Amino acid sequence: ILISEEKKAFRVHLAVLAMHSQYLRDMVEKAQPSTDDAADHSPQRLPLADSADDMSFFLQFVYTPLYFNVGELTPFKQLSGMLRLSTKYLCDQLRQAVITHLMIVYPRERAKLLSPSPLIPTENKDDTVSLPS
């Protein structure tokens, strides 16, 4: 179980985390269950200093890689959370996908940067996200 800084718990499979993140793989290997946990077969708990939202975005990608697709409309909060945790936890596949997406949305060329991108959401008064006109 991963515990966010807001004390929200995420029940995850250690093998799934290990497949995606070298850092979490090492962290799980080094974490020793307490004697109470070992006796009653309680899940191992790993407290993390990450927001629940960021952890949710990260884990959704880990469990469902099609959750995030490069080139599809994606809220910036989601992108920044996935980039933060993929960098922190050495999840290279997700990190590279987010960077590629950001390079499409925010290109280096001035002419492309000034033209409207269908991948940048605009907010309406009712808090829905839609494509620019």
Side-chain angles (χ1 to χ4, degrees):
I1 296 179
L2 301 177
I3 311 292
S4 73
E5 67 181 7
E6 290 106 5
K7 307 298 183 218
K8 182 174 181 181
F10 297 90
R11 187 177 284 266
V12 296
H13 301 91
L14 299 180
V16 174
L17 290 179
M19 284 185 343
H20 291 277
S21 167
Q22 177 64 45
Y23 181 90
L24 290 173
R25 177 174 38 249
D26 292 346
M27 190 174 178
V28 167
E29 288 173 0
K30 291 176 185 174
Q32 298 295 321
S34 69
T35 54
D36 294 339
D37 289 345
D40 66 5
H41 302 289
S42 296
Q44 189 173 7
R45 297 176 185 275
L46 298 173
L48 302 172
D50 303 304
S51 77
D53 284 346
D54 285 358
M55 186 56 66
S56 177
F57 298 142
F58 178 75
L59 291 174
Q60 285 177 347
F61 174 82
V62 166
Y63 275 88
T64 312
L66 295 178
Y67 165 75
F68 169 67
N69 293 304
V70 172
E72 289 187 5
L73 183 64
T74 307
F76 187 78
K77 180 179 180 179
Q78 181 180 338
L79 290 170
S80 63
M82 290 188 301
L83 184 59
R84 236 185 327 275
L85 294 193
S86 64
T87 300
K88 179 178 180 178
Y89 296 123
L90 305 174
C91 182
D92 295 333
Q93 179 185 8
L94 175 57
R95 184 174 189 279
Q96 189 55 53
V98 173
I99 289 170
T100 300
H101 182 84
L102 289 170
M103 290 175 69
I104 292 168
V105 175
Y106 303 105
R108 292 181 183 188
E109 298 83 17
R110 186 171 192 272
K112 288 181 182 178
L113 183 60
L114 296 176
S115 64
S117 171
L119 300 178
I120 300 175
T122 58
E123 294 184 24
N124 296 327
K125 289 182 183 179
D126 61 357
D127 292 331
T128 59
V129 176
S130 62
L131 295 176
S133 304

